[in-house]
Amino acid sequence: MVAVVLVATGISATPAHAEQVWRPCTETLEGWKEVIDDNGEAECTFVTVPLDYSKPDGRKLKLAVSRLKAKGERRGVLLSNPGGPGGTAITYPFDLRASTIGGVAQNYDLIGFDPRGVGFSDAQFCDFPDQPPPPPPRNAEQKARDWFEYEAEWNRVCAAGDPEFVAQLTTENTARDMDEIRKALGERKISFYGVSFGTAIGAYYRSLFDSSVDRMWLDSVMPPAMDMSTMDADVAAVDEGKFEPFLRWLAARDYDYHLGKDSAEVRRTLLALRTELDNHPRGDTDGSVVGGLLTPAPPSYAWSATELMTLLENGGGVASLATAGDDAHERPRFESNGFAFNLINNRAVLCNDGTGGRDFAQMWAARQERLRQYPAAGGIFQMSGQCPNWPVAPRPWRLVKGTSALQLSGHIGENVTPYAWARQMQARIGGALLTVEDDQHGSVRRSPCGAKVVEFFRTGRGVNGTCEGV
């Protein structure tokens, strides 16, 4: 039997436009101490919002909200989100306060909240039954199709538990929820700091409620449209740049790894190995295993080289090779469908908002085209293929320019949210763009660039140019 449960946690919520009752989070949220031991410092409340904003008098949800009060002269409130979708965010203010941008805590109440469908807020969970493993694939396409069909069954079962709830898990609704939080706080304007998918929430909020934004910083920026296939191509373009340096490193160590005496020979050897395994998998090991090893970061060069040499020389591989392939051939980690990360929320937001990933033939054709453009990295399915059998038609984002103070920061070498996406988002919604000279996702709050964040929230002046990263 499949159990799908809608969970509401904690005290009764007051209406969003009434004065909120704030209490220590330890008294408000059951299990708070298991998440963070804050010695009772943070205050929490629940804000009630419509499930469907087109039906304001209909079904309601409760959102859990936390607050750390400003230490000094208060300017306002700073909401934040570290990314996802699907990740809890209510304790994120503690992370910000302890980071290089911690100076913002002097002048702002730091506000955390779990988005709808996540953590202490109303959420749905799915107990998906174990499925028997598919038979060994005939080729890489068959393996990808088996994975696609598995995803389709998961989506069918887990979306069916509460279709009305699942259909309203969108970035737009999360942005609208933020405005209800603003009203509940009694603030005319809010500031916001978002990272990764949190940048999509921020961009959407500013597009809908620009006059309610004081200052906003978005780090490691999402693209202005979630086209799954295009996003995979953008990631592949970044990763492909890592292939040639790895080839040169391998060629200089042919006496160790025996993959070729120059980079051209190593390239031929490795791409031929991947083609062989795509056409004739060895058990569950297909070309995706090779593809997952071709573009490592320098600290992983020796590990990847050893794995590739093992595959080439004896046709087997060490145990770790079973998890070395690209995301398309890993089954979803359903144990993550819990408090810290809610897979239903993740899947619903991506599929309710994003285009693509619903048709296998299109997905596979796009993968083949990426391989032609990016021979090393093009085979990876990072975003594509998550939405087979999803019951809700996609509702693409509607982002527009605004006039409120906006700062973007993009990381020149990162492959989670490629730098090109920050450029694209800037072109769509405006703002200044700071180029961070590292390849680390969301690293501004871990780097000296954090000082620029503090300055921005104090002055509202955006900056272009560059900044040293991690």
Side-chain angles (χ1 to χ4, degrees):
M1 177 179 293
V2 177
V4 181
V5 183
L6 184 66
V7 179
T9 313
I11 63 173
S12 298
T14 54
H17 300 287
E19 183 177 355
Q20 291 297 127
V21 176
W22 292 88
R23 297 175 180 165
C25 296
T26 52
E27 300 176 9
T28 308
L29 304 178
E30 184 179 354
W32 175 263
K33 286 186 176 180
E34 297 174 14
V35 178
I36 185 170
D37 186 2
D38 68 336
N39 295 316
E41 181 180 7
E43 300 175 308
C44 283
T45 191
F46 282 93
V47 173
T48 300
V49 301
L51 172 65
D52 183 344
Y53 278 91
S54 70
K55 302 174 182 177
D57 296 325
R59 183 176 169 185
K60 299 295 192 293
L61 297 178
K62 291 194 297 184
L63 304 179
V65 183
S66 68
R67 178 173 66 184
L68 290 174
K69 289 187 176 181
K71 295 179 178 180
E73 183 178 351
R74 183 182 181 277
R75 174 182 174 81
V77 298
L78 176 65
L79 278 70
S80 57
N81 185 280
T88 181
I90 196 168
T91 62
Y92 194 48
F94 288 94
D95 295 335
L96 296 184
R97 195 176 63 176
S99 73
T100 61
I101 75 170
V104 297
Q106 189 70 19
N107 306 114
Y108 289 89
D109 292 349
L110 302 184
I111 308 298
F113 70 99
D114 278 339
R116 56 173 58 201
V118 173
F120 289 111
S121 294
D122 282 346
Q124 177 183 322
F125 303 93
C126 182
D127 182 15
F128 187 69
D130 290 337
Q131 302 292 304
R138 298 188 304 273
N139 50 41
E141 182 177 0
Q142 181 62 52
K143 184 174 181 179
R145 187 182 295 277
D146 290 342
W147 161 79
F148 188 83
E149 291 174 354
Y150 182 82
E151 295 277 323
E153 180 64 7
W154 194 91
N155 288 343
R156 183 189 68 78
V157 170
C158 292
D162 190 342
E164 181 186 29
F165 180 81
V166 166
Q168 297 302 323
L169 297 176
T170 67
T171 308
E172 178 177 350
N173 280 341
T174 301
R176 294 187 182 278
D177 292 344
M178 276 178 51
D179 206 52
E180 295 302 302
I181 294 171
R182 176 190 66 79
K183 295 172 188 175
L185 290 166
E187 298 290 332
R188 189 172 64 86
K189 295 191 175 198
I190 61 173
S191 291
F192 181 79
Y193 180 80
V195 181
S196 193
F197 202 85
T199 66
I201 297 170
Y204 221 127
Y205 184 85
R206 186 171 179 269
S207 295
L208 292 171
F209 306 108
D210 187 43
S211 63
S212 296
V213 175
D214 183 18
R215 294 160 188 178
M216 180 177 291
W217 187 299
L218 306 178
D219 181 38
S220 281
V221 186
M222 290 289 291
M226 275 215 306
D227 179 292
M228 306 295 194
S229 182
T230 299
M231 292 169 73
D232 277 354
D234 292 340
V235 171
V238 174
D239 282 340
E240 193 72 16
K242 303 175 184 177
F243 189 36
E244 185 61 36
F246 183 43
L247 294 176
R248 293 195 297 269
W249 186 92
L250 289 169
R253 292 159 179 80
D254 183 55
Y255 54 85
D256 284 328
Y257 301 112
H258 315 296
L259 296 173
K261 293 181 173 57
D262 56 48
S263 59
E265 184 181 359
V266 178
R267 175 188 291 267
R268 288 193 299 270
T269 299
L270 295 181
L271 294 183
L273 175 62
R274 185 178 61 189
T275 299
E276 174 196 341
L277 290 175
D278 270 349
N279 293 332
H280 305 287
R282 301 167 191 161
D284 202 44
T285 301
D286 69 348
S288 68
V289 173
V290 178
L293 296 168
L294 293 182
T295 58
S300 298
Y301 277 5
W303 179 84
S304 286
T306 300
E307 306 290 77
L308 289 165
M309 180 181 67
T310 302
L311 275 175
L312 187 68
E313 289 186 347
N314 62 27
V318 298
S320 57
L321 284 173
T323 59
D326 63 50
D327 290 345
H329 302 291
E330 293 180 9
R331 289 190 169 181
R333 295 178 175 86
F334 293 113
E335 63 269 25
S336 296
N337 188 24
F339 176 85
F341 185 84
N342 190 310
L343 189 59
I344 290 182
N345 176 277
N346 176 270
R347 185 62 52 87
V349 173
L350 294 178
C351 297
N352 290 341
D353 292 359
T355 57
R358 287 166 163 80
D359 179 87
F360 180 79
Q362 292 178 357
M363 184 193 78
W364 188 255
R367 186 248 192 192
Q368 299 307 95
E369 177 57 31
R370 286 198 304 274
L371 276 173
R372 283 189 283 273
Q373 288 185 272
Y374 310 112
I380 293 175
F381 294 109
Q382 180 164 307
M383 298 294 294
S384 301
Q386 298 190 74
C387 303
N389 227 0
W390 193 253
V392 182
R395 290 163 282 186
W397 292 339
R398 297 168 294 171
L399 305 181
V400 298
K401 280 187 166 64
T403 60
S404 56
L406 174 64
Q407 177 72 58
L408 312 178
S409 50
H411 302 256
I412 196 67
E414 78 150 289
N415 65 350
V416 180
T417 52
Y419 180 76
W421 294 356
R423 289 277 191 200
Q424 294 165 18
M425 184 66 87
Q426 183 189 36
R428 177 69 61 85
I429 68 173
L433 175 59
L434 180 69
T435 300
V436 184
E437 295 178 323
D438 67 14
D439 60 359
Q440 300 298 303
H441 183 63
S443 70
V444 161
R445 69 179 184 87
R446 306 191 306 274
S447 76
C449 298
K452 295 184 180 294
V453 178
V454 176
E455 183 69 14
F456 170 77
F457 281 113
R458 285 178 178 163
T459 67
R461 292 192 296 269
V463 294
N464 293 295
T466 62
C467 181
E468 182 183 358
V470 175

